[in-house]
Amino acid sequence: MTAEETQAPKRAAQLRRKIEEHNRRYYQEAAPIISDREYDRLYQELLDLETQFPRLVSPDSPTQRVGGKPLEAFAQIAHRVPMLSLDNTYSEKEVASFYARITRLLPNQRIPVVIEPKVDGVAVSLLYENGRLRHAATRGDGAVGDDITQNIKTIRSIPERLRSAPPRVFEVRGEVFMDKRGFAKLNEERSKAGLPLFANPRNAAAGSLKQLDPAIVAKRPLGIVFYGTGAVDDVDLEKHSDLFPLLEKFGLPTSERWWLADSVVEILSAIRELDKIRADFAYQTDGAVVKVDAFAQRERLGFTAKSPRWAIAYKYEAERVETRLIDILVQVGRTGVLTPVAALETVTVSGSRVSRATLHNEDEIKRKDIRIGDTVVIEKAGEVIPAVIEVVKSKRPRSAKPFDFFKHIHGKCPVCGGPVRRDPQFVAWRCENIQCPAQTTRRVEFFAARSALDIESIGGIVADKLVERGLVREPLDLFELKLEQLAKLNLGTEEAPRIFGEKNASKAIHAIERAKTLPLSRWLFALAIPDVGKTTAMQLARFHETIEDVADSQLLRDVLTYHERSDQNRKQIANRLIEAGFAEKSKSKSEKDGIVTEVGRVVAKSVLAFFESEAGSRILRRMKQLHIFPKSEKISAKKAVKLPLAEKAFVLTGALASMTREEATAKIEALGGHVSGSVSKKTDYVLAGAEPGSKFEKAKQLGIRILTEAEFRKMLAR
Ligand code: IVH
């Protein structure tokens, strides 16, 4: 076996995983992270490997499938005629070999082909029965698609009834698009509303069609171009070029320009002409489709496993330009992830001015060996944010050093200066400081966590969506959430919504209300004060009644002064701290007269600084406004719950039958009472067992209530 052969299965598996992942991002999430070109490269590499080593082909390989999975939320429609896709190519040479191949397969015939724009949108299939729109579906996996009839009906250019003498069955296929101007406007609105932007018009169209709510779709500027048929009955068509006037007759929008050709030269000239004018089309196009015109010839050519032999899609190169990478900026996302962004010398690409490009993550920079000062190639195929495709190594300045992410950010978060960590499981670096101003989501999550305020159901994704939708900017905003807002919250994407719902929302609101009553220690922990963990929070709560007491703590100030100064006051302060129980004499001999304080200097400093800071005082003010006054556990135990035997004095005498005296004492104390050794006027009850002594007599004299063992047990039971 050659080295290549031994490596091939591993590489194929790797490519399949990658392609599956990008398929999922593209089809299910409508949020791809690589360009079509890069995707095609991966796909082609897998295809080549499988061609070279056919034993590697498996039935579940992405090369054996047609498209993405339909979403579960929609009803499913089986296509009467499968919806296939086309073989793609980027080279004119391959267009020539396509034509040579069909000429070989259909010798001695003229083979006219139609060249038409390849619309960059979403493939759909509409079924008209007796002229009425019956249903509409997406391509799905080619065999079964999503039922998007309601959404399709919101597109104004699609007629519900076909004009003039419609056939019995007319299944018509085309591409739904969002026009370029509408796309720009939609993104502008989304940007203002703080919503994530669509990457390109195709994603925007896909996202719109996957909306479960047709009212939202109706607001989206969608259009359609029809370019083919599926199942038809009662239609007399011999060639594709006759379809255009027929579609027009029915009132169905179709391609504004198309060409007929019957030689390679003519085909290529049509492709080039289309490239010159397509910028003026209202919708985005990414190529030209070349199709055999005559249906009889199509039939003879047939299909491969995935696509027809009678057509090919030629894709135009996305516009690429070279520019210089001036710097790599690192942004901190609301979940704490650090994302590198290329700062570029401004250039014009596909008609827009570009000065930033995504670099995704550290690994991506390493893989492409991108360095500051490099000349890079950037590509923009209608996307909002362009991507850095590659480095022009020949133009690399001598001084350019390999990019070291950690060093570049000086080992700390560029927003707050906090520590950063790269989780070995993920490719991303993260800021570890929960107080980092950029990390809203993580702060909210921490605040609501079980060990903090235990706000059930405000976990990771809910917190993130609340922040993303602008409903929560800081943890205390949770207390102003309304039930309806939470119930309506979409935890999925716009494309695949998942609504939080009334029941969950009501549970969450309940938990939020309950959080207000949680003790001080939990609150001190939840606020994520630097250096204050759970134990420290508990220690602080034991010595302070309220949060204001902590913020303005004499004890903490004493700890600071004690540790930071060496004046005579030191001894006095030490005594004060010992008296308050906040410090003990040090046992270490080296530290004569020294003390050990409950919390150390670092904590004391951090807590005082936190509440003195702008953010800290805002929290205190806000808590007051929200009527949140957490109390220390010790205090609330005494004051808040009045125990049934609170402040009652008991005296025990004689032998008890069902319990020992110790047990009886424990029970009285558990209910808040206390037991003393002798009877006085202050005694409330004397519990008398068998053969009681002088205490019994004294109680009788003083008129104190005497309980038999049975009466005492009844009292406990009550
Ligand atoms: S014909 C048997 N014509 O491009 C396939 N497709 O990669 C018939 N597309 O799935 C497709 N414009 O979603 C055809 N003028 C056009 C097209 C077009 C865009 C899309 C369509 C198709 C994909 C092929």
Side-chain angles (χ1 to χ4, degrees):
M1 251 202 272
T2 61
E4 207 186 346
E5 241 178 311
T6 36
Q7 287 304 312
K10 217 166 125 197
R11 181 63 185 155
Q14 203 179 32
L15 286 166
R16 271 181 208 137
R17 261 201 317 277
K18 277 193 184 176
I19 292 169
E20 295 285 359
E21 164 74 11
H22 292 305
N23 274 348
R24 189 180 55 73
R25 288 178 186 274
Y26 185 103
Y27 289 110
Q28 244 109 301
E29 293 169 12
I33 58 161
I34 60 172
S35 69
D36 283 6
R37 184 67 198 258
E38 280 182 84
Y39 177 88
D40 288 341
R41 245 182 250 132
L42 292 174
Y43 193 91
Q44 192 60 45
E45 193 186 337
L46 180 60
L47 211 56
D48 290 347
L49 264 183
E50 290 179 343
T51 315
Q52 202 183 348
F53 307 108
R55 68 186 161 83
L56 291 181
V57 183
S58 65
D60 65 346
S61 175
T63 57
Q64 305 300 304
R65 257 173 291 142
V66 184
K69 264 203 197 113
L71 278 163
E72 275 156 27
F74 286 97
Q76 305 294 290
I77 290 179
H79 300 300
R80 298 187 185 185
V81 175
M83 280 183 86
L84 300 180
S85 68
L86 298 175
D87 283 337
N88 279 334
T89 177
Y90 288 90
S91 95
E92 293 193 343
K93 242 179 158 173
E94 279 188 35
V95 174
S97 22
F98 160 78
Y99 200 69
R101 191 164 56 243
I102 58 175
T103 313
R104 233 183 7 257
L105 292 167
L106 303 171
N108 310 318
Q109 294 182 23
R110 251 190 77 226
I111 315 175
V113 292
V114 171
I115 296 98
E116 58 189 45
K118 184 169 178 334
V119 183
D120 197 9
V122 185
V124 294
S125 183
L126 274 62
L127 180 68
Y128 284 91
E129 275 178 349
N130 299 316
R132 290 203 68 169
L133 178 61
R134 168 118 178 266
H135 67 221
T138 61
R139 179 165 65 195
D141 65 2
V144 179
D146 293 333
D147 180 348
I148 49 159
T149 315
Q150 294 311 316
N151 289 347
I152 282 293
K153 283 184 176 170
T154 68
I155 301 176
R156 277 191 225 115
S157 54
I158 296 181
E160 274 227 51
R161 269 175 190 280
L162 296 184
R163 268 191 261 145
S164 91
R168 243 168 29 83
V169 178
F170 193 65
E171 189 183 0
V172 62
R173 289 174 175 177
E175 201 85 353
V176 168
F177 61 81
M178 182 173 290
D179 70 47
K180 297 178 198 166
R181 275 177 54 196
F183 167 74
K185 210 170 130 233
L186 178 69
N187 259 353
E188 210 174 288
E189 285 164 12
R190 290 174 71 86
S191 157
K192 276 188 199 143
L195 294 169
L197 303 188
F198 285 116
N200 53 45
R202 180 192 50 226
N203 288 157
S208 304
L209 285 185
K210 284 185 192 166
Q211 286 289 331
L212 288 168
D213 180 2
I216 298 176
V217 192
K219 289 190 201 130
R220 300 276 169 86
L222 299 175
I224 193 160
V225 172
F226 289 106
Y227 48 65
T229 54
V232 291
D233 188 6
D234 215 7
V235 186
D236 205 13
L237 270 185
E238 281 178 10
K239 48 190 199 313
H240 183 65
S241 47
D242 289 341
L243 181 64
F244 299 111
L246 184 70
L247 291 173
E248 263 170 48
K249 196 180 100 184
F250 289 153
L252 295 165
T254 181
S255 214
E256 57 201 274
R257 284 293 304 271
W258 53 274
W259 293 257
L260 260 172
D262 62 4
S263 71
V264 172
V265 174
E266 279 179 14
I267 296 172
L268 294 180
S269 122
I271 288 178
R272 287 179 206 140
E273 195 184 335
L274 171 60
D275 194 21
K276 281 203 196 109
I277 58 171
R278 68 194 179 101
D280 298 330
F281 292 177
Y283 43 83
Q284 189 162 299
T285 52
D286 62 344
V289 181
V290 184
K291 307 170 172 174
V292 169
D293 193 27
F295 294 134
Q297 286 182 329
R298 285 189 183 185
E299 218 163 289
R300 292 202 35 212
L301 290 167
F303 297 85
T304 65
K306 272 188 67 167
S307 39
R309 268 197 207 93
W310 45 259
I312 192 165
Y314 172 85
K315 285 201 153 178
Y316 297 112
E317 288 284 349
E319 196 186 340
R320 289 171 161 212
V321 286
E322 284 184 13
T323 184
R324 222 173 59 85
L325 188 143
I326 311 164
D327 197 2
I328 293 179
L329 312 172
V330 177
Q331 295 176 340
V332 184
R334 56 177 193 274
T335 56
V337 170
L338 308 188
T339 311
V341 175
L344 307 166
E345 235 158 52
T346 311
V347 275
T348 306
V349 202
S350 310
S352 52
R353 306 278 287 160
V354 167
S355 53
R356 293 271 188 278
T358 58
L359 292 169
H360 301 300
N361 53 49
E362 184 185 25
D363 287 2
E364 195 67 9
I365 299 176
K366 273 200 191 128
R367 194 170 64 78
K368 293 178 177 159
D369 186 19
I370 296 168
R371 305 182 184 188
I372 294 173
D374 267 341
T375 294
V376 292
V377 176
I378 63 166
E379 179 182 281
K380 191 161 178 277
E383 277 85 0
V384 181
I385 311 156
V388 172
I389 299 298
E390 60 189 8
V391 171
V392 186
K393 295 257 167 79
S394 60
K395 295 189 181 168
R396 170 167 284 169
R398 285 238 190 101
S399 57
K401 287 185 212 66
F403 184 72
D404 183 327
F405 196 97
F406 190 74
K407 246 193 184 158
H408 185 69
I409 55 172
H410 307 290
K412 53 190 190 201
C413 169
V415 172
C416 70
V420 294
R421 196 165 76 97
R422 189 180 150 142
D423 199 319
Q425 269 186 325
F426 298 100
V427 284
W429 285 88
R430 262 170 174 276
C431 166
E432 291 273 284
N433 169 22
I434 237 179
Q435 288 294 350
C436 174
Q439 288 197 48
T440 338
T441 298
R442 277 233 295 168
R443 261 200 312 285
V444 174
E445 253 180 283
F446 183 86
F447 185 80
R450 177 165 299 180
S451 50
L453 294 183
D454 194 15
I455 303 179
E456 207 184 342
S457 49
I458 307 285
I461 182 112
V462 180
D464 197 36
K465 291 292 170 187
L466 286 171
V467 172
E468 185 184 303
R469 300 283 135 87
L471 292 172
V472 169
R473 285 194 180 82
E474 47 181 288
L476 288 174
D477 289 342
L478 288 174
F479 294 93
E480 300 203 28
L481 282 177
K482 303 268 173 303
L483 182 80
E484 313 82 73
Q485 286 176 313
L486 259 174
K488 274 196 284 184
L489 186 70
N490 176 7
L491 302 183
T493 55
E494 255 186 78
E495 299 74 45
R498 192 157 67 78
I499 306 302
F500 195 50
E502 189 95 12
K503 215 164 136 196
N504 288 327
S506 151
K507 261 202 218 155
I509 294 281
H510 219 75
I512 290 172
E513 274 307 304
R514 193 186 74 107
K516 285 186 176 173
T517 66
L518 288 184
L520 183 61
S521 62
R522 298 278 210 109
W523 274 87
L524 288 174
F525 179 60
L527 293 178
I529 304 164
D531 302 300
V532 177
K534 249 198 276 182
T535 317
T536 308
M538 255 146 46
Q539 276 167 320
L540 290 172
R542 279 218 326 270
F543 289 90
H544 302 86
E545 287 194 22
T546 64
I547 200 151
E548 266 94 8
D549 289 351
V550 179
D552 188 31
S553 167
Q554 183 59 45
L555 289 172
L556 294 180
R557 267 181 277 145
D558 278 352
V559 170
L560 261 194
T561 331
Y562 176 82
H563 286 292
E564 285 182 350
R565 281 208 235 145
S566 55
D567 53 23
Q568 323 100 305
N569 275 347
R570 223 168 161 237
K571 194 137 192 224
Q572 220 181 322
I573 292 168
N575 285 338
R576 221 167 41 216
L577 284 168
I578 292 173
E579 225 165 86
F582 206 61
E584 273 177 14
K585 280 217 161 75
S586 166
K587 289 190 184 96
S588 130
K589 286 199 185 107
S590 62
E591 232 191 294
K592 219 170 127 246
D593 291 340
I595 56 166
V596 182
T597 46
E598 275 288 309
V599 301
R601 190 176 60 96
V602 174
V603 171
K605 198 168 182 169
S606 173
V607 172
L608 292 173
F610 177 83
F611 287 110
E612 267 162 30
S613 73
E614 181 49 40
S617 20
R618 216 183 34 240
I619 288 175
L620 290 178
R621 276 199 306 275
R622 190 91 191 275
M623 284 178 68
K624 243 193 215 155
Q625 282 165 4
L626 292 164
H627 299 284
I628 302 173
F629 305 108
K631 295 258 163 22
S632 113
E633 279 101 326
K634 260 179 109 180
I635 297 189
S636 46
K638 253 199 251 155
K639 289 196 183 154
V641 205
K642 183 132 168 68
L643 293 170
L645 298 183
E647 288 151 43
K648 297 286 181 228
F650 282 74
V651 172
L652 311 183
T653 179
L656 297 171
S658 58
M659 61 188 98
T660 64
R661 280 196 182 205
E662 286 69 38
E663 280 165 355
T665 305
K667 283 185 174 147
I668 291 165
E669 282 175 356
L671 294 174
H674 63 272
V675 176
S676 67
S678 57
V679 178
S680 73
K681 271 193 243 164
K682 284 186 189 153
T683 308
D684 293 292
Y685 301 102
V686 169
L687 170 57
E691 292 172 33
S694 60
K695 291 175 194 164
F696 181 77
E697 293 306 321
K698 188 153 185 207
K700 270 216 286 200
Q701 275 170 20
L702 292 173
I704 288 166
R705 171 97 200 265
I706 296 169
L707 299 172
T708 63
E709 192 173 341
E711 279 168 331
F712 176 64
R713 283 162 43 124
K714 246 191 227 156
M715 185 185 241
L716 293 184
R718 249 187 282 133

